[in-house]
Amino acid sequence: TDTIRLLTKLKRGSGGWGWIEQSTEPSLWITYNVLGMMGRLRQLGWLPENGQLRAMIAEAVAYIDDYNAREFARYPKADYSEYVLTRDYFTDIRQSTAAKRVTSATVQRLISEWKNQSAPVKAISAIILNNHGYNATARQAIESLREYAKTSPSQGMWWPSLDDYTVWSMGKIGATSIILDAFHAVDPGCADIDRIRQWLILQKEAKDWGTSVTTSDAIASILTSGSRWTVPAHEAVITLGDHRIEPSRTDALTGYFRNDISSLQPSGSTLSIVKAPAGPAWGAVYCQYTGVMKDVKA
């Protein structure tokens, strides 16, 4: 495909991917991003069965193994969480002994330090610890995240502390996506998962999700967790008093429609909306009228 051809052009001799074709050196950040997306595609079952792509992924994993092993030899107390989180997508690819030491040291550091971290780092810690068999500690991290969350029936579940969050090029959406991944990994099936998904989707109602990387992560997190929301929606039954309102035109993909009900004399009537099956939906009813400008209050 075109994407695999592009990745081939950006591949560098040391195994990583470069920013652009003109760059001669690989970019660790770009390589992490590509491997992260490939890992998410694998989770979703959408990673193409392509030998060339498989070989590129193996070389890129070897590149981050080698890079982090060298960095760890120089700076053993640095944070290697991003490496371990990315590396855990590809447990089927052999890890060098030196790289294993990076993973082991990171896991041990997270066991002792997760309590003092921000919400997204607690989530990353929970995922890594759960991946490496420290399930009880991972559950403690999830319980701690619950303590700092806010919930409401209309908005779902969110973390106010993330309002100005920017780490690893993530904003509030990317950080919440990682928290969603942590809840799904450590406590699959809990009700909070759908609450977090609800909050993420409602953010899309009024604004975009940010960068393409953040958007991809949010979509992958929603699709890999919680109850199934991708079933085709049945038509909503909308009645005004005894009159059923039939949408004039409905978008095939989203179910969106907009109807003018002014001819039905709606004032004083009861509007009823019944939607099935369960799943996210939103809408609004508004009144539009013409008034004298001087009578309009601030």
Side-chain angles (χ1 to χ4, degrees), residues 40 44 173 177 180-181 184 193-194 196-202 204 209 215-230 280:
R40 303 310 293 265
L44 290 161
I173 300 297
S177 298
L180 173 57
D181 291 336
H184 174 63
I193 290 173
D194 277 353
I196 302 170
R197 294 165 91 209
Q198 177 188 351
W199 184 88
L200 279 170
I201 288 176
L202 286 172
K204 195 72 171 67
W209 271 333
T215 300
S216 298
D217 277 337
I219 292 170
S221 298
I222 290 167
L223 289 176
T224 54
S225 63
S227 57
R228 192 179 175 206
W229 285 355
T230 54

Side-chain angles (χ1 to χ4, degrees), residues 240 243 260-266:
L240 181 67
H243 184 88
D260 182 352
I261 60 173
S262 57
S263 62
L264 301 176
Q265 304 297 318

Side-chain angles (χ1 to χ4, degrees), residues 58 61-66 68-69 80 83-107 132:
V61 168
Y63 164 72
I64 65 170
D65 281 354
D66 180 61
N68 283 280
Y80 298 93
Y83 162 68
V84 177
L85 190 68
T86 305
R87 189 58 173 85
D88 282 349
Y89 284 124
F90 306 100
T91 54
D92 56 318
I93 298 175
R94 193 185 73 82
Q95 189 178 28
S96 67
T97 302
K100 285 179 181 177
R101 284 197 286 270
V102 182
T103 298
S104 178
T106 301
V107 169
H132 292 269

Side-chain angles (χ1 to χ4, degrees), residues 94-147:
R94 193 185 73 82
Q95 189 178 28
S96 67
T97 302
K100 285 179 181 177
R101 284 197 286 270
V102 182
T103 298
S104 178
T106 301
V107 169
Q108 293 306 312
R109 183 180 61 79
L110 294 178
I111 289 172
S112 62
E113 296 181 3
W114 70 265
K115 291 180 181 179
N116 302 319
Q117 303 296 344
S118 63
V121 179
K122 280 182 184 176
I124 291 166
S125 302
I127 294 170
I128 291 173
L129 293 173
N130 193 67
N131 286 343
H132 292 269
Y134 293 90
N135 312 95
T137 310
R139 283 187 171 274
Q140 289 176 17
I142 292 299
E143 287 306 316
S144 177
L145 285 168
R146 282 193 174 103
E147 290 177 9

